[in-house]
Amino acid sequence: MATFVSVKLTLLSLVPLPFLITFILIIGKKIQVLFKIVQKNFGAISDKVQENIYGIRVIKSYVQEDQEIEDFGHLNNTMMESNLKMVRVSFLYVARH
C-alpha cells in the first residue's frame, strides 16, 4: 500500500502555527507576570501574620486588634483578586489547548 503526502494540505495545516506560537508566548508572559504578583501578595500576607504573632502583646496593649483585622482583610482581598486574575488568564491558555 502506497502512502503519499499532500504538500498542499501539509502547508495549509502549518498556517495557524505562527499565530498559535504567538498566542502561547503572550499568554505565558502574562501568566508569569500575574504569578509574580500573586507571590508578592502571598509574601505580604505572610509578613503581616508573622508581625502579628510576634507583636501580639503590643497589638493588645494598644487595642489595635480591629485595625489589624481590617488590614489583614485588605491584604486577603488583594490576594484573592490577584489569584482570580491569574486563574482567568490561565484558563484562556488551557481552554485553547
Side-chain angles (χ1 to χ4, degrees):
M1 173 165 222
T3 60
F4 76 98
V5 176
S6 169
V7 175
K8 184 178 176 182
L9 187 57
T10 302
L11 292 176
L12 193 60
S13 69
L14 293 176
V15 167
L17 198 57
F19 300 108
L20 185 60
I21 290 171
T22 303
F23 176 78
I24 289 170
L25 291 174
I26 290 170
I27 295 295
K29 198 63 120 165
K30 183 76 172 169
I31 290 171
Q32 184 179 27
V33 168
L34 291 173
F35 185 74
K36 286 181 182 181
I37 292 170
V38 168
Q39 288 297 98
K40 184 185 107 205
N41 291 335
F42 183 74
I45 287 177
S46 295
D47 290 345
K48 188 66 166 175
V49 169
Q50 190 172 11
E51 285 174 16
N52 286 341
I53 289 172
Y54 288 121
I56 192 70
R57 288 186 179 154
V58 174
I59 292 169
K60 284 185 173 188
S61 66
Y62 288 103
V63 193
Q64 291 295 309
E65 294 95 335
D66 291 339
Q67 182 62 45
E68 291 300 318
I69 290 169
E70 186 178 326
D71 291 347
F72 185 80
H74 289 299
L75 287 173
N76 196 32
N77 286 336
T78 302
M79 176 71 174
M80 181 182 67
E81 289 170 10
S82 63
N83 259 314
L84 285 174
K85 273 185 189 176
M86 188 182 72
V87 167
R88 283 186 201 112
V89 173
S90 296
F91 175 75
L92 285 176
Y93 179 75
V94 171
R96 300 282 186 209
H97 286 84

